[in-house]
Amino acid sequence: MGCQLILILFLTGSVYSQIPGITITGTVTDQETGETIIGASVKVKGTKTGGSTNNTGKFSITAPADAVLSVFYVGYDPVEIPVAGKTIINFKLKPSSKGLDEVVVVGYGTTRKKDLTGSVASIKKEAIKDVPITRVDQMIQGKAAGVQVTAVDGSPGTGSTIRIRGGNSITASNEPLYVIDGLIGGGDLNLINPQDIESMEILKDASSTAIYGARGANGVILITTKRGASGTDNINFNVYSGWQKVPKFIPMLNATQYAELANESSVDNGGAVLYPDPKSLGAGTDWQRAISRVAPIQNYTLSASGGKDTYHYFLSGNYINQDGVIINSGFKRYQVRANLDKNVKENVKVTAAFNIGRAETKNNTVSLGGQDYGSSALAYSPAATIYNPDGSFNSKKPNDNQVYDNPVAQGTLPVNQNVTTNILGNLGAQWELIKGLTLKSTFGAELNFIKNNIYNPGSLPSRANANTGGAAEVNTRDILTWQNENTLSYDKQLGKDHHISAVAGVTYQTSSNEFLKASADKYATDIYQFNKLDATTQSQYAIQSDYSKYTIFSLLARVNYSFKDKYLVTLTARQDQSSRFAENNKSALFPALALAWKASNESFIKDLNVFDNLKLRASYGTNGNQGIDPYRSLASLSNKGGYLIGGQKILGYVGGRIANPNLKWETTRQLDIGLEAGILKGRINIELDYYDKRTKDLLLDQQLPLQTGYVSRLTNIGMVGNKGLELLINTVNITTKDFQWETNLNISGNRSKVLDLGGADQFSVKNIYFGGNSSISQLQVGQPVGTFWGATYYGTQKTAQVPAGAVNPNSVTRLGDPLYIDRNGDGKFGQEDFSVIGDSNPKFYGGIGNNFTYKQFSLNIYLQGSYGNKVMNIGDAFYNTGDPLTNQFAAIADRWTPANPDSDIPRVNSRQYIPSSRWVYNGSFLRLKSINLGYTFTGKQLHAKWLNKLNIYATATNLFLITKYPYYDPETNADGVAADGLKSVLRGFDNTNYPQNRTFALGLNLTL
């Protein structure tokens, strides 16, 4: 019924009395420079009638003769002038302290930045203007203090992992909560056009996130898309086209070097020379270059926006086509958006926001390296060719009778694609019951239809050799989420000294997730691929399905109080009741308190004539984390095959999981102390934050006695802590009539520590299983989350006797063997010699941007960096061992030999699969993230009355990378993609991930 009411109001509008008015025109200029101000907001005070200045700073508005006009523009003091019957009114705005009157979106409302009591980072649309990014999360990278964004890899359509003030959990999600136009947790980031974004606010402290309760512990990212405004209707067309390349290849042995290594290995093992004339092979095949390409990218966005006094609209459509730098990979997006607002009465407004998108992703099918020692691009013999003389794919390596799918065949023949359709909508109505008291109701829904199609053809050399035919697999997932929120907000100035604003509400959200998988094998023909699963015998079919659902019901409230615009108090609370948790703990309350002191409004601070703004703030509160799968608190059954009854194989069921009726949320308590200061008339603005947060009742699997019949049970044990500093500096370095230079710098440092593991001292969170079973990452009480575990490399054995303090794992030692530090001094190699060998957490990270404008030229340069973090390259277990089982890194050419006895690179045939500090590298880096050069023409310059402006730009991303990391890129995160058990705490592992690309593009941005 509520949804129908909203639609009726929106579609029918209303007829109501209009107060006779006059048309007023004028110009808005800067009081100090005399320049016109474009986009200034002009409103009739006390009404919703308003507009904005055009590209020449002029406006036209209809208002009663006795009305008051108010003008506002970010960075200037607002001005009000009575109409008094005048038809021409010009406004001169005085610059204010930079950004203090900027409107910032917070949970369930907005506020001026100067009135914030919590820690909120704001990223506006200008931050990504004309930069070729495809995903919303790329907007954040390096641009917000305390927010660490790490690309999982460089493949098109792949997201990032984001940690706001460190990770809080071990097995639950550490990713922030996304709220898109009010829909909590909504939106596929691949299907939101970044050019539709008006602003992104990142809520970091407990006070700002408490309004999201059980889902706010990891921080909240509010995404607000563009909406229309009164005034001139605008049509905008933004297009760019460019190309991408792999900026760096991993140096590997060429064919001659590999043949020499293979000969040395064979002779060392008592065999014959395998390659009589290595030099005749030359460089051989460079498999990395064979599977890579210069890849085109193109992006088109068309939008229209505008409106009148009573309605506003924003419409957009986007198409992007990005080929991957690895063959047969890529990403396409088709997307449309409609944001509509209608004032159906003076005190009633209805809104609608719709986004429909479809993404087609070609997933990479090439094995790049990692732990694939047989067919990957790093492992494959450079002495092998891509094709046979008849043009078919070569499947043999020299001196090897096994059949392989060479990397180019892997990238050419198989199919692996994702097709995602996302429909996101939110309808709302708000009714100002009395002045200052507004009721708002919204109904939102999201539908996700995801399909993954996989086909490995029978023509693939390995399958052709085994005569197994083709293999097809189809995975589908349908997710339906809907949400209803009803809030009552109040805003009132009480006399001269007191101001109060409040919001209270009730929300309900539910989501269902249905999964179906079907696969089949031994297809006689590749014609059908995955499109006809029944084209093989029934005995080859396999099916799997799953269904889950969760519901969360919430009550929320926030009160802001200000006394004399100096002393601010914010009280926030949310009570959530979630179906994810056990019967005894389904409900919890998450409160927070924030205090702020606007010291710059004190007379004794004003008398100093130093500060334009000086504010101290502090907050403390709690948040929850419900980021686990539904039903984890309930008992479950598992099906087991293999029971023989009456000579027949019978499927049976056993207990899969024991119930925990007391399972509850993880709870994060956080203290934040902040300082904000502005000097030199807003030319220098500084924000400094210190935070200390602790997460208790961690969701961990606790080991159970074997006699229970179960291995473990999810329970609440353990504690993790994070503390750190954040610094943000914005400066206006030079500002003249023709030239301006602004700098934005942010730098952050976080220190995490495991405080308790439920009585245990440590346990493994990642193992390798080749050559045995070794842990390579452990959680240890007293240590940071995200460390690497292994032996400490000593060097090679250079004398007949093993040096004191070192140990050789081999029972028979040889010169050139790898040695390790003997930690317990027993002269034997064992687990006691393992320890923390690196930390994936940076000591600090951040970014710096410089924006230059000269007349109609603009130049934007942005650098991003990280210092002190380590990266573990798991591929070292195979490609850095001197064993010609695989090709080797080029550094192996400098291995220990009798002719090179001082080398610390182990001898040939020394592969041991022992994780060690040899696998760990310095991951610090400084990257030129983006550079953009543009020139803007006005319609007048081009003698085109129909044209507002035309911006032509050239842009490049990832233009250079300064790092000591020897492989593709230190910004890598092979495991920590999402909340997937213990993967949530894994950071800094390189498994030869898809390389980052370097992009060059030319574009134009046309506004009519």
Side-chain angles (χ1 to χ4, degrees):
M1 183 63 187
C3 182
Q4 291 174 339
L5 176 61
I6 293 169
L7 286 172
I8 291 171
L9 289 171
F10 193 91
L11 295 173
T12 62
S14 67
V15 178
Y16 58 94
S17 61
Q18 299 287 335
I19 300 173
I22 60 175
T23 300
I24 303 144
T25 61
T27 304
V28 180
T29 58
D30 185 302
Q31 178 177 302
E32 296 182 358
T33 66
E35 295 183 354
T36 58
I37 298 175
I38 302 170
S41 173
V42 183
K43 290 187 175 182
V44 179
K45 185 178 180 181
T47 74
K48 298 187 182 298
T49 301
S52 56
T53 56
N54 61 19
N55 62 312
T56 61
K58 297 183 181 300
F59 70 89
S60 177
I61 194 170
T62 300
D66 60 349
V68 175
L69 295 189
S70 64
V71 174
F72 167 78
Y73 189 71
V74 173
Y76 292 84
D77 291 331
V79 174
E80 295 181 355
I81 297 179
V83 174
K86 297 188 290 291
T87 58
I88 298 176
I89 301 177
N90 296 318
F91 289 83
K92 294 182 178 181
L93 303 190
K94 178 183 177 182
S96 63
S97 296
K98 183 176 175 63
L100 291 182
D101 288 316
E102 173 188 335
V103 175
V104 176
V105 179
V106 293
Y108 300 94
T110 60
T111 187
R112 294 178 301 177
K113 180 170 177 56
K114 66 181 181 182
D115 294 332
L116 276 173
T117 56
S119 180
V120 178
S122 185
I123 300 172
K124 302 301 182 184
K125 58 187 176 183
E126 292 78 14
I128 60 144
K129 182 182 177 184
D130 302 330
V131 177
I133 63 173
T134 59
R135 284 177 54 96
V136 171
D137 47 2
Q138 296 169 344
M139 292 175 61
I140 306 172
Q141 195 164 34
K143 292 182 171 66
V147 183
Q148 185 183 13
V149 182
T150 305
V152 174
D153 60 39
S155 58
T158 298
S160 308
T161 62
I162 298 178
R163 297 292 180 267
I164 297 177
R165 296 182 165 181
N168 303 316
S169 184
I170 293 176
T171 59
S173 173
N174 277 308
E175 297 298 313
L177 174 71
Y178 289 90
V179 181
I180 301 177
D181 286 333
L183 191 64
I184 299 177
D188 183 333
L189 298 189
N190 268 333
L191 294 170
I192 303 294
N193 180 11
Q195 293 182 41
D196 286 348
I197 304 297
E198 179 68 27
S199 69
M200 297 177 66
E201 271 73 29
I202 304 170
L203 314 183
K204 298 184 290 184
D205 73 318
S207 175
S208 60
T209 59
I211 200 76
Y212 291 102
R215 291 173 284 187
N218 298 326
V220 181
I221 298 177
L222 306 179
I223 298 175
T224 304
T225 58
K226 296 175 181 176
R227 309 194 81 88
S230 300
T232 306
D233 295 327
N234 292 312
I235 297 177
N236 178 264
F237 180 60
N238 193 351
V239 56
Y240 63 79
S241 181
W243 64 98
Q244 310 153 97
K245 58 182 288 188
V246 178
K248 172 186 176 182
F249 292 99
I250 298 174
M252 304 295 292
L253 298 180
N254 63 29
T256 296
Q257 294 170 317
Y258 175 76
E260 291 171 346
L261 176 69
N263 286 343
E264 183 181 339
S265 171
S266 180
V267 171
D268 183 68
N269 286 328
V273 171
L274 301 177
Y275 296 89
D277 187 7
K279 294 188 183 301
S280 66
L281 299 175
T285 302
D286 187 329
W287 291 101
Q288 292 179 84
R289 285 177 168 80
I291 61 170
S292 65
R293 61 184 176 182
V294 175
I297 180 173
Q298 50 188 321
N299 191 341
Y300 306 88
T301 296
L302 177 65
S303 65
S305 64
K308 299 296 182 183
D309 293 346
T310 61
Y311 72 90
H312 308 107
Y313 68 91
F314 175 81
L315 308 172
S316 75
N318 171 250
Y319 168 73
I320 184 170
N321 187 357
Q322 179 187 13
D323 286 348
V325 294
I326 302 298
I327 57 175
N328 203 28
S329 63
F331 173 77
K332 290 182 181 180
R333 177 175 63 222
Y334 312 84
Q335 177 262 347
V336 293
R337 170 174 291 278
N339 290 347
L340 309 170
D341 304 285
K342 173 70 173 170
N343 294 332
V344 297
K345 288 185 180 296
E346 183 68 24
N347 62 339
V348 179
K349 177 182 179 181
V350 292
T351 62
F354 294 100
N355 188 86
I356 302 174
R358 179 180 174 89
E360 299 172 357
T361 305
K362 289 183 177 179
N363 298 312
N364 173 45
T365 57
V366 180
S367 176
L368 300 177
Q371 301 169 52
D372 180 4
Y373 59 84
S375 300
S376 72
L378 294 189
Y380 219 83
S381 169
T385 60
I386 301 174
Y387 301 103
N388 294 313
D390 62 1
S392 61
F393 285 111
N394 180 22
S395 60
K396 294 293 185 70
K397 302 176 186 178
N399 300 299
D400 189 341
N401 293 323
Q402 190 171 339
V403 174
Y404 297 92
D405 298 323
N406 78 51
V408 177
Q410 296 171 36
T412 304
L413 298 177
V415 177
N416 188 331
Q417 66 178 31
N418 289 348
V419 180
T420 302
T421 301
N422 176 270
I423 302 172
L424 184 71
N426 206 1
L427 298 171
Q430 56 188 61
W431 180 14
E432 188 175 30
L433 303 172
I434 58 175
K435 185 173 178 58
L437 182 64
T438 302
L439 174 65
K440 182 178 181 181
S441 179
T442 64
F443 179 86
E446 180 183 14
L447 291 84
N448 265 305
F449 306 101
I450 306 166
K451 188 169 183 246
N452 173 229
N453 301 315
I454 301 173
Y455 188 73
N456 291 307
S459 58
L460 202 61
S462 60
R463 299 189 70 86
N465 179 71
N467 195 29
T468 54
E473 181 180 314
V474 176
N475 301 279
T476 64
R477 188 177 294 277
D478 293 345
I479 305 172
L480 169 62
T481 302
W482 68 266
Q483 166 187 297
N484 174 242
E485 295 193 317
N486 303 277
T487 59
L488 192 64
S489 59
Y490 181 70
D491 190 281
K492 183 70 173 177
Q493 181 72 37
L494 302 173
K496 181 180 177 181
D497 295 336
H498 308 275
H499 181 267
I500 187 169
S501 64
V503 63
V506 56
T507 77
Y508 178 88
Q509 187 180 59
T510 186
S511 180
S512 62
N513 188 322
E514 187 170 5
F515 171 75
L516 178 64
K517 172 182 177 180
S519 62
D521 206 346
K522 296 187 177 178
Y523 287 92
T525 175
D526 293 331
I527 294 176
Y528 298 116
Q529 293 191 344
F530 46 77
N531 296 305
K532 194 171 178 59
L533 293 181
D534 61 344
T536 186
T537 60
Q538 188 172 353
S539 62
Q540 302 302 317
Y541 297 161
I543 58 172
Q544 181 182 339
S545 66
D546 189 37
Y547 177 85
S548 65
K549 183 177 182 178
Y550 73 84
T551 299
I552 184 168
F553 175 79
S554 308
L555 301 173
L556 61 94
R558 179 179 60 230
V559 177
N560 295 297
Y561 170 72
S562 170
F563 178 63
K564 292 187 175 183
D565 198 28
K566 299 177 185 179
Y567 314 107
L568 310 177
V569 179
T570 300
L571 292 168
T572 310
R574 181 169 179 138
Q575 180 163 335
D576 286 314
Q577 187 171 5
S578 173
S579 65
R580 292 177 188 259
F581 290 96
E583 191 65 33
N584 297 338
N585 288 296
K586 286 191 179 296
S587 181
L589 177 68
F590 302 96
L593 168 68
L595 304 172
W597 174 39
K598 292 184 183 179
S600 52
N601 287 353
E602 300 283 3
S603 58
F604 67 91
I605 297 292
K606 291 180 180 179
D607 292 343
L608 298 175
N609 291 320
V610 174
F611 296 101
D612 308 305
N613 173 49
L614 181 63
K615 182 170 69 174
L616 293 171
R617 50 179 168 77
S619 66
Y620 182 80
T622 63
N623 297 111
N625 187 348
Q626 64 155 14
I628 60 171
D629 292 334
Y631 318 130
R632 287 298 306 273
S633 67
L634 304 179
S636 70
L637 293 176
S638 296
N639 56 305
K640 296 289 184 180
Y643 294 99
L644 284 176
I645 300 177
Q648 292 186 338
K649 193 172 182 180
I650 303 297
L651 182 68
Y653 293 88
V654 298
R657 181 176 61 235
I658 191 171
N660 183 352
N662 297 311
L663 193 69
K664 60 184 178 181
W665 340 73
E666 295 183 340
T667 300
T668 298
R669 301 182 185 275
Q670 182 177 184
L671 169 70
D672 180 274
I673 300 173
L675 169 69
E676 300 176 16
I679 59 175
L680 302 178
K681 295 183 178 180
R683 304 216 18 195
I684 299 178
N685 287 277
I686 299 172
E687 290 187 30
L688 178 65
D689 274 270
Y690 166 79
Y691 62 87
D692 187 343
K693 61 178 181 175
R694 296 192 176 194
T695 303
K696 66 174 185 176
D697 297 327
L698 297 177
L699 293 161
L700 292 174
D701 284 311
Q702 186 177 39
Q703 299 298 311
L704 296 176
L706 293 177
Q707 57 266 33
T708 65
Y710 298 92
V711 177
S712 62
R713 179 176 68 171
L714 188 65
T715 189
N716 297 102
I717 53 175
M719 181 182 294
V720 168
N722 287 275
K723 61 177 62 177
L725 286 172
E726 302 167 354
L727 176 65
L728 173 67
I729 303 176
N730 295 324
T731 62
V732 179
N733 307 311
I734 299 175
T735 179
T736 65
K737 182 179 180 181
D738 293 331
F739 179 72
Q740 188 171 33
W741 171 25
E742 296 183 356
T743 298
N744 312 106
L745 168 70
N746 73 83
I747 187 168
S748 308
N750 180 76
R751 301 293 181 265
S752 72
K753 182 183 288 188
V754 178
L755 302 175
D756 179 44
L757 290 173
D761 292 327
Q762 65 188 76
F763 64 84
S764 178
V765 292
K766 184 175 178 65
N767 287 45
I768 54 172
Y769 298 101
F770 43 82
N773 184 348
S774 296
S775 173
I776 56 175
S777 183
Q778 298 220 354
L779 287 175
Q780 247 187 324
V781 174
Q783 292 288 340
V785 176
T787 58
F788 308 124
W789 184 258
T792 301
Y793 186 63
Y794 180 92
T796 57
Q797 185 166 334
K798 300 180 179 67
T799 60
Q801 297 297 320
V802 175
V807 62
N808 190 326
N810 299 324
S811 56
V812 178
T813 64
R814 294 176 53 184
L815 296 179
D817 279 351
L819 302 179
Y820 303 93
I821 296 293
D822 186 8
R823 289 200 167 273
N824 64 349
D826 65 355
K828 300 176 182 179
F829 184 78
Q831 288 296 318
E832 297 79 7
D833 298 313
F834 282 43
S835 66
V836 173
I837 54 175
D839 185 358
S840 64
N841 299 288
K843 293 180 179 177
F844 61 83
Y845 58 92
I848 181 171
N850 284 281
N851 303 317
F852 305 90
T853 58
Y854 176 70
K855 293 185 177 180
Q856 290 165 273
F857 285 98
S858 64
L859 174 64
N860 305 309
I861 302 172
Y862 196 81
L863 294 101
Q864 170 222 353
S866 177
Y867 174 77
N869 57 298
K870 304 296 184 182
V871 178
M872 175 179 274
N873 184 26
I874 302 175
D876 274 36
F878 297 101
Y879 316 121
N880 199 17
T881 64
D883 190 330
L885 171 72
T886 71
N887 194 15
Q888 299 288 298
F889 294 138
I892 288 294
D894 191 36
R895 63 191 173 274
W896 184 97
T897 64
N900 188 26
D902 294 326
S903 174
D904 275 319
I905 299 174
R907 62 174 176 81
V908 71
N909 296 336
S910 60
R911 175 164 48 94
Q912 296 173 326
Y913 299 126
I914 295 174
S916 75
S917 55
R918 276 195 78 217
W919 300 8
V920 178
Y921 298 86
N922 185 347
S924 302
F925 69 89
L926 178 65
R927 186 193 309 276
L928 179 54
K929 188 67 177 177
S930 65
I931 182 169
N932 179 284
L933 176 65
Y935 186 85
T936 300
F937 297 91
T938 64
K940 184 177 181 180
Q941 287 176 308
L942 298 175
H943 305 287
K945 293 182 179 179
W946 51 270
L947 177 66
N948 186 333
K949 63 180 179 179
L950 171 65
N951 176 249
I952 299 175
Y953 59 91
T955 186
T957 64
N958 197 16
L959 201 56
F960 72 72
L961 177 67
I962 300 174
T963 183
K964 293 182 179 180
Y965 188 65
Y967 306 125
Y968 284 138
D969 201 302
E971 187 185 340
T972 182
N973 195 24
D975 288 288
V977 178
D980 183 11
L982 295 173
K983 285 188 177 182
S984 186
V985 298
L986 299 178
R987 311 277 288 174
F989 285 100
D990 188 351
N991 208 21
T992 319
N993 299 341
Y994 195 110
Q996 304 284 342
N997 62 66
R998 178 171 294 158
T999 303
F1000 302 89
L1002 297 173
L1004 62 86
N1005 194 335
L1006 176 72
T1007 302
L1008 305 182

